[in-house]
Amino acid sequence: MIAKGETLFKINDLKKSFGDVDVLKGISTEIKSGEVLVIIGPSGSGKSTFLRCLNLLEEPTDGEIFFEGNKINDKGCDVNLLRQKMGMVFQQFNLFPHMTVKKNIELAPLKLLKISQDEAEKSAQSLLERVGLPDKATSYPAQLSGGQKQRIAIARSLAMNPDVMLFDEPTSALDPEMVGEVLELMKELARSGMTMVVVTHEMGFAREVATRIAFIDEGRIMVDKPAKEFFENPDNPRLKEFLSKVL
């Protein structure tokens, strides 16, 4: 486990192309343990691609990604082992429809962490309490609302005791009245000290929870500042234009 304030991710000149299209054009940054980095920017700017490169769901075309000192885009690296330390929450919930909520949460720790059934059950129930759904253990995903499914997806990621949580627009597929319950849970996670990298359009969340905000446009980080300064002094013309449309 990396101590708070130490570098968790180090990214050097990250590039990603899909065919002839250059989506990421050389991103370099660091993410420290305990930070909540929120990534904003227009659609198609490369935000989600950047996030997905962090755990190699997308293979970078060029550049280096270090996680806890390990170069993860090295051929000799055991990526699956390192991925166990990274929780990932997507727009779609990706819960197994044929399993109960509790079984969805228990599955990965049982298979990957090799914990006992008893431990897995206790952990799952504790996580259900944490995400505010202790009464849904025996429900199936089809019986849940979108907001409840996303909270279960977060609980499932937390079951692996990750060192970082990656969120790819976790509220964009939700009805507006369900967005708040998911954001509230994410705020609680941030308050607990969880390292988080969040791609989102929720500016209120960014302003309230982020320790740092990066504005990505056309495959590059245009602005990267502490949250307060980011909103109060948007000196980049492209950022000013973007904020004028979304705030």
Side-chain angles (χ1 to χ4, degrees):
M1 189 75 163
I2 298 282
K4 187 172 180 181
E6 288 189 19
T7 299
L8 196 66
F9 281 105
K10 186 170 174 55
I11 298 110
N12 298 325
D13 202 23
L14 179 64
K15 293 175 182 164
K16 174 65 182 175
S17 304
F18 294 99
D20 296 336
V21 181
D22 298 329
V23 178
L24 299 179
K25 301 173 183 172
I27 286 184
S28 297
T29 189
E30 286 189 14
I31 301 164
K32 297 193 184 306
S33 179
E35 271 196 310
V36 178
L37 171 62
V38 171
I39 299 167
I40 67 170
S43 295
S45 58
K47 307 182 299 293
S48 288
T49 300
F50 169 70
L51 192 78
R52 292 168 70 87
C53 281
L54 291 182
N55 65 357
L56 290 204
L57 284 179
E58 295 291 356
E59 192 83 37
T61 308
D62 202 3
E64 300 176 311
I65 302 170
F66 292 90
F67 175 68
E68 298 190 346
N70 303 283
K71 185 179 175 188
I72 66 168
N73 59 325
D74 215 355
K75 291 217 177 332
C77 180
D78 186 346
V79 178
N80 287 328
L81 196 62
L82 291 174
R83 273 197 192 123
Q84 291 180 24
K85 300 179 177 186
M86 306 181 207
M88 180 97 188
V89 179
F90 302 89
Q91 296 177 31
Q92 302 299 336
F93 325 113
N94 301 337
L95 297 173
F96 294 112
H98 62 291
M99 288 184 180
T100 64
V101 160
K102 194 151 141 293
K103 294 281 183 214
N104 264 283
I105 296 171
E106 290 170 0
L107 184 66
L110 283 169
K111 293 244 188 257
L112 299 171
L113 301 181
K114 308 291 186 200
I115 66 174
S116 70
Q117 181 66 48
D118 191 43
E119 276 181 282
E121 284 181 14
K122 280 184 183 155
S123 170
Q125 197 55 47
S126 164
L127 284 164
L128 284 169
E129 306 245 351
R130 184 172 183 184
V131 302
L133 296 168
D135 55 334
K136 298 296 183 187
T138 56
S139 301
Y140 286 86
Q143 298 169 301
L144 305 178
S145 70
Q148 289 171 334
K149 285 178 192 169
Q150 194 60 295
R151 283 190 278 159
I152 296 302
I154 293 171
R156 183 180 55 181
S157 286
L158 291 173
M160 289 294 290
N161 291 319
D163 292 350
V164 60
M165 289 283 286
L166 309 174
F167 292 89
D168 188 8
E169 300 197 25
T171 58
S172 64
L174 299 178
D175 291 338
E177 68 267 25
M178 291 171 188
V179 169
E181 64 193 57
V182 174
L183 291 180
E184 204 47 56
L185 173 57
M186 290 170 67
K187 288 176 194 174
E188 188 272 315
L189 280 181
R191 286 192 293 268
S192 75
M194 174 63 76
T195 310
M196 295 162 64
V197 186
V198 185
V199 171
T200 186
H201 293 289
E202 300 289 341
M203 293 300 131
F205 173 83
R207 194 190 287 267
E208 185 180 342
V209 180
T211 50
R212 213 174 106 215
I213 304 177
F215 173 65
I216 292 184
D217 191 30
E218 296 183 354
R220 290 190 168 88
I221 293 180
M222 299 291 193
V223 180
D224 184 348
K225 288 182 174 179
K228 193 168 174 357
E229 196 182 329
F230 185 92
F231 285 108
E232 288 179 3
N233 304 305
D235 46 10
N236 177 284
R238 182 67 189 93
L239 174 59
K240 270 187 186 168
E241 183 195 351
F242 176 76
L243 290 178
S244 74
K245 291 175 180 167
V246 297
L247 287 180

